[in-house]
Amino acid sequence: MSILSRKRILLGVTGSIAAFKAADLASKLTQSGTEVDVILTNAGEKFVTPLTFQSVTGRRAFTDKDLWGDEAHVLHVDLGKKADLLVIAPCTANTIAKMAHGISDSLLTVTALASTCPIVIAPAMDGGMFDHPATRENLKTLQTRGALVAGPAAGHLASGLSGVGRMIEPMDILGHVRVALGKNGKLAGKKVIVTAGGTQEAIDPVRVITNHSSGKQGYALAQAALDEGAEVTLITTPTGLNPPIGARVVRVKSAQDMLDALMNESADALVMAAAAADFRPKDTAKDKLKKRDGIPQIQLEAAPDILKTVASPGGVAKRFRIMVGFAAESRDLLQNASEKLKSKGLDFIAANDISADDAGFAVETNRITLLFADGARENLPLMSKAEAAEKIIAHIARLLE
Ligand code: CTP
């Protein structure tokens, strides 16, 4: 179950043209299983209507008319107290200033004052307004009080100018919301390193030897660790995927790069989800191999076994308290996985049968068996890679307890 499901999130929408993107955010949150209560300011209502939000959340959207309605004396307290998180997106310089000074002259600002939950602010304004010392100081004040400021981004602004002031994209706001919700999770204060993607072993400056790994399972693991409050480093090959918000990203290409990157790290847990090469070209041609020179004979040599190297006594043993591997197999799944579990000195291994159409590389789902060093086994049924990641991260949290 995702960190967003069964949560109650208050979405504040203030007067910026980016308000139209807030409907997308409300929709994404709702689709993730969140109950979304929207509060529009008067200026927010000039850009989008309450009906827009009611249509995507299936719930009533509140406006300043509700500030003086029948339930007004408790509405703001009720909304503020019940929420797991308040996200204000877009948040104007005006609302930021009011919140920094405890001004509560709208349903949104009075609710913000009454709430005790984490707050995420996605500023949206003109570059000059964002740069103004007043806005800077107000944002700093809110940050000091624990608010998470997400953005703004650089780009085209409503004024026609370019600069820093654009609200960040809803998908990225969602990432910040997850970080704020996960803060006190089971892995709070713990460091997790995840490797992801298929490595690229260069033949020449143009060509590489790689594999079908998409990186999806690794990225899902990084997100699941963030959802539990871990400090996450994602060591990834080029995958074309967007890294989860909050992860420190180290970009690598070859198995050797990945090993070198790990030699600089230490963590509570290492999850080797990457499909690292076993073989690489013995020599990488400095210049592009030309057709006119005939079909090249490419001699291969062993690539470093990353897990074995970091687990060996001469390596960086115990830099990683828990080590988790993956075994992608097309036959003798459990036997091969069990051998890898032992030979690589792992705490547990996730074995997946890549011959199935609905599991393994590139697809959205996985069917995994977890094999533990103490002999225990757990068969996970077919599930999304996100769900499989949550299960694996839950075991890591248990082993680190
Ligand atoms: N792995 C590694 N270094 C490599 C290759 C793989 O650390 N050069 C890691 C993978 O990230 C995975 C685990 O070892 O977590 C098992 O990888 P897999 O490719 O299934 O096994 P190999 O040890 O490479 O053995 P084989 O390819 O012969 O099955």
Side-chain angles (χ1 to χ4, degrees), residues 195 199 255 258 262 271-279 303-310 324-329 336 340 343-344 346 349-350:
T195 65
T199 59
M258 197 169 268
L262 276 170
V271 191
M272 274 291 296
D278 295 318
F279 318 108
D305 187 310
I306 301 167
L307 272 173
K308 269 192 188 161
T309 312
V310 298
V324 181
F326 272 74
E329 305 290 347
N336 282 329
K340 284 176 193 174
S343 72
K344 296 187 188 236
L346 304 173
I349 193 160

Side-chain angles (χ1 to χ4, degrees), residues 25 60 83 104 144 162 174 186 197 200-201 214 244 249 255 352-353 397:
L25 176 61
R60 181 177 155 204
S104 45
T144 313
S162 285
L174 207 67
K186 292 194 195 104
Q200 299 183 352
E201 308 299 326
S214 63
V249 180
N352 63 342
D353 181 357

Side-chain angles (χ1 to χ4, degrees), residues 105-334:
D105 61 350
S106 66
L107 182 60
L108 177 60
T109 48
V110 77
T111 304
L113 206 58
S115 71
T116 49
C117 60
I119 298 181
V120 175
I121 292 169
M125 65 198 74
D126 190 57
M129 292 169 77
F130 179 65
D131 261 344
H132 196 285
T135 308
R136 295 274 176 178
E137 276 166 36
N138 290 333
L139 276 172
K140 209 180 282 165
T141 301
L142 292 174
Q143 274 172 317
T144 313
R145 290 186 203 140
L148 198 157
V149 177
H156 178 78
L157 301 169
S159 59
L161 302 171
S162 285
V164 178
R166 273 172 76 90
M167 186 177 85
I168 60 167
E169 293 304 316
M171 204 56 202
D172 293 337
I173 299 176
L174 207 67
H176 288 281
V177 164
R178 293 178 86 126
V179 168
L181 286 172
K183 224 170 175 180
N184 300 317
K186 292 194 195 104
L187 290 175
K190 299 280 193 291
K191 197 172 162 189
V192 174
I193 297 179
V194 180
T195 65
T199 59
Q200 299 183 352
E201 308 299 326
I203 295 169
D204 68 10
V206 178
R207 303 169 180 99
V208 295
I209 297 177
T210 186
N211 56 63
H212 289 305
S213 171
S214 63
K216 284 179 182 166
Q217 187 61 74
Y219 279 54
L221 281 155
Q223 180 65 70
L226 285 161
D227 285 350
E228 285 297 347
E231 183 191 328
V232 174
T233 298
L234 176 64
I235 302 180
T236 180
T237 62
T239 60
L241 301 172
N242 289 325
I245 294 283
R248 178 169 73 96
V249 180
V250 179
R251 296 190 186 275
V252 297
K253 286 192 173 143
S254 67
Q256 186 65 51
D257 295 344
M258 197 169 268
L259 175 60
D260 293 345
L262 276 170
M263 288 301 205
N264 292 323
E265 305 282 347
S266 64
D268 294 287
L270 166 65
V271 191
M272 274 291 296
D278 295 318
F279 318 108
R280 64 183 177 193
K282 193 163 183 292
D283 299 300
T284 301
K286 202 164 105 331
D287 296 309
K288 185 183 174 192
L289 299 174
K290 300 300 287 178
K291 244 184 331 203
R292 63 168 175 261
D293 297 330
I295 296 174
Q297 298 295 311
I298 300 167
Q299 209 191 332
L300 299 177
E301 64 174 10
D305 187 310
I306 301 167
L307 272 173
K308 269 192 188 161
T309 312
V310 298
S312 71
V316 285
K318 295 301 154 202
R319 277 202 193 172
F320 308 107
R321 281 170 65 197
I322 303 279
M323 296 213 309
V324 181
F326 272 74
E329 305 290 347
S330 57
R331 62 185 164 139
D332 304 326
L333 176 68
L334 297 182

